[in-house]
Structures are given as C-alpha cells and as structure tokens.
Amino acid sequence: MGTADAAAQVTLYEKWKKIYPLSLYGGYQRWRRVVLSGLVAIYYVGPWLQLNGHPLFWLNLPERKFVVFGVTYWPQEFVLVSWLLMLSAFGLFIVTVVAGRVWCGWACPQTVWTLVYFFIEQKIEGPRTQRMRLDRRAWDLQRTGKKLLKWTLWAGVAFSISFTFMAYFLRPEVLIEKILTLSLSRGEWFWLSFPAAASYLFSGVLREQVCFHMCPYARFQSVMFDRDTLIIAYNEERGEPRGHKPRRPDPAAPVGGDCVDCKRCVHACPTGIDIRDGLQYQCIACAACIDACDEVMLELGQETNLIRYSSQHRDRGETVSRLRPRLVGYAAVFSAILLGFVWTVGHRIPLELDIIRDRGRLYREHWDGSIENTYRLRIVNRENGSRRYELRAEADFPFELKTLHGSVVEIAPGEQLAIGVQLVAHATPEAAENRPVYFVVETIDEPHYVVREESRFIQPSTQSSTRPSTQPSTQPSTQPSKQPAGQTSGADPR
Ligand code: SF4
Ligand code: SF4
C-alpha cells in the first residue's frame, strides 16, 4: 500500500453511525414514559392555564412584565431570576451527586423531545430490525412513503413545540389570530420557525450527537460524582466470563458468568454504548440497558439486576455513605438560597413608590414666610387588577400637603401614575435646613400594602430666611400622568 493510500484511510473524525435503539416498554422505561409524558403535558398546557381570568404563565416582553404562577413580576425584580438560576444550578448539583445523570435520562428537554420523535419513528417504521432493513432498501415507494410520513409528522411536532414556545410570550389566542391572518412580524416569524428547526434537527435528526458533542453538562458532571453516586453499572463479578450458554452444558467445561453476550443491552442503548465496558461519559442513565438485560435474565430463568443502579462503593462491597461533605456543602448553599428566595418572594410588595424632588429649585418662599418644596411621586401598581391608593405625608413638623389629584388615586394593573405634590411648612429659625419627610402610599382595599419612602424638606438657612429665593421659578405640573410600569422617568429618584 502506497503512502498516499495509507494517508487516505486516516480519518480525523469517527463516521456517524445511525443508532437503532430497541423499543422497550417494561421496567424503568414504563416510569420514564410516565415522567416524560407529564413534562410534555406541562409544557403544552402551560400557556393556556389561567388563574382568576389571568394567565398563569406569560412572558410579556413588549410590556416588560412576567407572569409566573399568576404573579406579575417586573424587570426591576429580575434579581429573583438570578435566585432561581442559582437554585436550579445547586439543585442540579445535589441531584447529580446523589443520582448521577438522572436529569439527562429522565428530564432533560433533549431526551424528552428525542423520545417523542422516536415514538413517531417506531410507530411508522416498526421495531429495530425493520427500521434497519428499511434504511438499507432502495428509495422505493414503501421507503419513500414511510419516510415522508415520518418527516411530515416530525414537522408537525416541531411546529407544535415552536408554537407553544411562542405562546408563552404572545398568548396562544393572539398567536393563533396572528398566524391565521398572516400578521406576524418578521421577528415573530423567526421565533416561530427557529425553535421548530432546532427541535427537528437536535431531537429528530442528531439525537445522541447533541449529548456527545454539544451539551456542556455531559462533560463536567463527572467532577460532581463521588464513589457513592448512583450509576448504572454492569455486575462484572456475576456476568463474567460472558459467553453463549449451550443448551447442554459440558460438565467438564469451566462455568461461565451470567452474561450470555446477547448484546441486547447494547441494542437498547440510545447512545449506542456497551455498559459492560464500564461507566462512560456517553451514558445518560436512561436505564434502558437494565430493562433489556432483565428481560433476558427472566427468559433464562436467572436473577435480574445483572445491570443495575449501583455505586462504586456498593460494587466493591464497601460502606455506603449517605452524608458526604460535597453533598452537605451543596445542600447548605441550596438551603440558604432557597430561604432567601422564599423570604424575598414572601415579603414582596406589588406596589412601588419613587420620590423625585424638583431638581430646578430646592424650595420656594411664599409672601407669608412659608416654604414650599415640590416633589414628583411615581406610584406603580404591580398587581393584576386595578387598585385604589391613599397618599399622605408624615413629618415631625406641621405642614400642608397639596396635590391637584386629591389624596386617593386609582391605578390600572401594571400602570404607573406620576403626581406632582407640594409640601408647605412655616420656616422656624430653630429648625434644621434639611428635615426628613415621609411619603406613604397605602392600599385602600384588601390585601393591604403600605409603602413608606423618605425624602427631605429643605428650607433656607436662618441667615438667609428673610431674603426671597433667587432661584428660577419652575412650577411643576400637579397634573397626573400615566405610563406603563416598565417605563421610568429620566429624573433621579431621591
Ligand atoms: S448505557 Fe444504559 S443507561 Fe447508559 S445510556 Fe446506554 S442504555 Fe442508557
Ligand atoms: S443484555 Fe445482559 S446478558 Fe445480554 S449482553 Fe447485555 S449484559 Fe449480557
């Protein structure tokens, strides 16, 4: 063989071999189907769920409000999202330390949707051997017809995933109307097509390749494993030496292990690995090899669990430790974050008050010696319904609160109201130039919320109190103005 020929045979990448997993229905696979069907159902019904006439989940980007379990959150509360992300991360760490890659095999969206696409495939193309035979056939009528039907149904699934994804942002009824009237914007068309294409490609076509080459979790999760982490393992002691068992065993021949080397566990594996070679990063802990091997063992009248959930310590007969330092550490951080999150959500007040002082002038002196300070209050109703609020001020000196809008205001859900108010007080020589004053906004109806914010009342120094103000008069508007809650005034709140 010439040098050129030898070089031509060296490939840098392993050729992709299509995997034809066995269809299994019993054992762990039954429970997996129940869990995965539940997750799919939650995903699909999520956008349609309502609570007291309001959506349960709605990521309303244009109005910048996010409804989660019927409670509306605003961009200012995005800190809660970071809490949630931290909780999810540490929750996943704990699950990984305890149960290995159970997330991958039982709840990961890639696994869930791959099973949905696979379900359609096996319904149309048949069991493993028929699927393999079909792919070896020429493109005759039967193969073309089955493939076209499969791809069409896959496209339907992909579209339903995309539609539901968009419905979390746009509301399903609005989305249906927009699709029927072809009035989606270009961006909306993109977001209706992109998740569909991604889902079709990743879960329908690429499947295990996504876990091998694209998922970062598959690569770093092994650092969280310890010797007590639950893994799927082949009982080598019992299974080896593997080999076919003759019907009439030779009494003189050495006794083999329980593994009959039928390779059913390999054929069942959606990632195409042989678990008998030991723990591998491609294993997504789906437990299909356990079910496949159990079926074989039952047929042979042997004990099941030749492949089973185990751990390195258990395999070696060593003491299994439940409370490990790593687990305790993750659990402690998780509990601390959870407590903080629950406390923050529990003490959340869906009412906001910002006080913006008149920046053009600190105070204004009246002819009778009284001093006027001007403020602009921004009250935000972060609830799902209209609310009436009572507005008042508190200070340790006598004053008069003036506002053209009255002391009771009504604000629509998700709206904010900006009100100009004046505090008028008589300057007293002994009073400080800068005194605290509190504005209080209180709901009139139940549930009851109160927000109290501090500001300052400024009066001239005693040396200059007899001299009229030389600052320009910029009488603020006392007329209220309404804006959506997500938009804020350009002035700095004080
Ligand atoms: S080795 Fe077993 S548990 Fe791991 S991916 Fe394959 S079938 Fe699933
Ligand atoms: S299914 Fe069980 S008996 Fe068959 S090869 Fe796998 S481990 Fe051996």
Side-chain angles (χ1 to χ4, degrees):
M1 191 185 290
T3 319
D5 288 344
Q9 287 181 17
V10 176
T11 53
L12 290 176
Y13 300 100
E14 193 187 0
K15 205 169 167 223
W16 176 27
K17 292 189 207 96
K18 187 170 174 186
I19 294 168
Y20 298 89
L22 282 172
S23 314
L24 299 165
Y25 298 98
Y28 290 107
Q29 300 317 300
R30 185 184 301 131
W31 290 110
R32 251 180 109 222
R33 277 200 182 82
V34 171
V35 172
L36 300 181
S37 307
L39 292 174
V40 169
I42 290 170
Y43 176 74
Y44 278 121
V45 301
W48 300 90
L49 295 176
Q50 301 221 337
L51 185 71
N52 301 329
H54 298 286
L56 209 56
F57 302 101
W58 183 17
L59 309 175
N60 187 348
L61 283 180
E63 292 177 24
R64 284 176 257 167
K65 62 180 185 183
F66 306 93
V67 183
V68 182
F69 289 113
V71 180
T72 307
Y73 296 91
W74 303 92
Q76 297 89 328
E77 297 172 288
F78 249 52
V79 66
L80 291 173
V81 176
S82 49
W83 287 83
L84 265 185
L85 290 178
M86 284 193 286
L87 273 179
S88 311
F90 277 93
L92 191 59
F93 294 167
I94 292 171
V95 168
T96 306
V97 174
V98 174
R101 288 182 70 179
V102 72
W103 159 261
C104 299
W106 291 71
C108 169
Q110 170 66 10
T111 306
V112 173
W113 294 121
T114 297
L115 276 195
V116 172
Y117 284 93
F118 176 61
F119 176 78
I120 293 171
E121 182 174 272
Q122 58 155 1
K123 285 287 166 215
I124 294 171
E125 297 183 2
R128 180 173 190 268
T129 43
Q130 279 185 31
R131 293 201 304 274
M132 293 169 83
R133 243 182 273 134
L134 187 73
D135 279 357
R136 281 198 297 267
R137 281 174 85 114
W139 280 97
D140 57 6
L141 201 61
Q142 190 186 8
R143 184 177 178 189
T144 311
K146 284 191 172 183
K147 292 287 177 190
L148 278 178
L149 179 59
K150 179 180 85 172
W151 294 334
T152 309
L153 290 180
W154 277 11
V157 169
F159 176 76
S160 70
I161 292 171
S162 229
F163 174 89
T164 310
F165 175 76
M166 278 287 283
Y168 278 99
F169 294 86
L170 272 187
R171 304 298 307 131
E173 57 278 5
V174 175
L175 187 55
I176 290 171
E177 194 193 323
K178 283 191 163 200
I179 291 173
L180 292 180
T181 54
L182 296 178
S183 56
L184 287 167
S185 68
R186 265 195 223 158
E188 288 164 347
W189 276 117
F190 173 80
W191 284 110
L192 194 59
S193 333
F194 178 72
S199 159
Y200 191 104
L201 182 67
F202 293 157
S203 303
V205 181
L206 295 178
R207 298 186 182 178
E208 76 289 343
Q209 299 298 315
V210 175
C211 311
F212 293 174
H213 306 297
M214 294 169 72
C215 176
Y217 177 60
R219 298 290 170 157
F220 75 77
Q221 45 86 29
S222 60
V223 300
M224 288 174 244
F225 277 38
D226 59 27
R227 293 185 193 285
D228 288 304
T229 298
L230 209 58
I231 51 171
I232 289 184
Y234 166 66
N235 188 341
E236 210 173 316
E237 211 173 292
R238 180 185 150 196
E240 299 298 317
R242 68 185 77 162
H244 178 69
K245 304 286 177 296
R247 280 185 188 277
R248 291 202 191 113
D250 178 0
V255 182
D258 281 353
C259 173
V260 292
D261 204 16
C262 62
K263 292 200 167 52
R264 203 168 154 75
C265 52
V266 182
H267 296 157
C269 179
T271 63
I273 59 170
D274 188 343
I275 193 67
R276 295 172 302 168
D277 295 341
L279 185 62
Q280 294 146 73
Y281 83 91
Q282 294 99 328
C283 175
I284 58 166
C286 66
C289 52
I290 299 183
D291 295 327
C293 189
D294 281 355
E295 283 178 12
V296 176
M297 290 295 117
L298 288 173
E299 263 177 44
L300 295 173
Q302 303 267 27
E303 254 185 64
T304 55
N305 283 335
L306 180 56
I307 303 174
R308 75 281 191 242
Y309 276 107
S310 186
S311 71
Q312 285 176 300
H313 271 160
R314 198 172 298 168
D315 270 2
R316 292 183 198 150
E318 294 170 7
T319 318
V320 176
S321 157
R322 292 200 193 286
L323 284 181
R324 291 100 76 186
R326 184 182 308 203
L327 186 56
V328 173
Y330 286 148
V333 178
F334 180 84
S335 309
I337 299 172
L338 183 64
L339 277 178
F341 180 76
V342 170
W343 191 92
T344 310
V345 171
H347 289 78
R348 173 183 180 270
I349 295 181
L351 164 65
E352 187 182 315
L353 169 64
D354 283 336
I355 304 165
I356 306 155
R357 281 193 54 93
D358 180 5
R359 303 187 98 193
R361 170 179 64 181
L362 293 177
Y363 56 84
R364 187 171 176 219
E365 289 184 71
H366 290 176
W367 62 271
D368 60 355
S370 61
I371 306 296
E372 177 189 299
N373 277 211
T374 304
Y375 310 82
R376 197 166 180 81
L377 307 187
R378 191 180 67 104
I379 306 169
V380 185
N381 173 9
R382 287 188 176 153
E383 290 182 84
N384 286 330
S386 249
R387 271 300 208 150
R388 288 187 310 141
Y389 301 98
E390 188 182 8
L391 167 69
R392 63 176 188 275
E394 294 171 359
D396 60 0
F397 55 89
F399 64 86
E400 189 187 349
L401 176 72
K402 290 182 178 174
T403 167
L404 282 182
H405 206 60
S407 62
V408 174
V409 292
E410 182 161 2
I411 306 178
E415 294 241 333
Q416 63 180 356
L417 188 65
I419 310 169
V421 296
Q422 289 90 44
L423 277 193
V424 181
H426 278 280
T428 47
E430 69 278 6
E433 293 167 21
N434 185 333
R435 285 178 284 177
V437 56
Y438 300 90
F439 288 96
V440 182
V441 174
E442 190 171 353
T443 51
I444 289 178
D445 314 301
E446 289 297 319
H448 186 242
Y449 300 113
V450 185
V451 174
R452 188 170 185 262
E453 291 291 339
E454 183 182 342
S455 188
R456 311 302 294 179
F457 185 86
I458 297 173
Q459 67 171 28
S461 65
T462 45
Q463 288 90 345
S464 63
S465 63
T466 51
R467 155 169 72 78
S469 167
T470 53
Q471 302 199 37
S473 172
T474 51
Q475 178 66 38
S477 165
T478 49
Q479 210 56 38
S481 66
K482 284 184 182 176
Q483 286 177 273
Q487 295 168 18
T488 55
S489 162
D492 291 333
R494 292 184 197 176

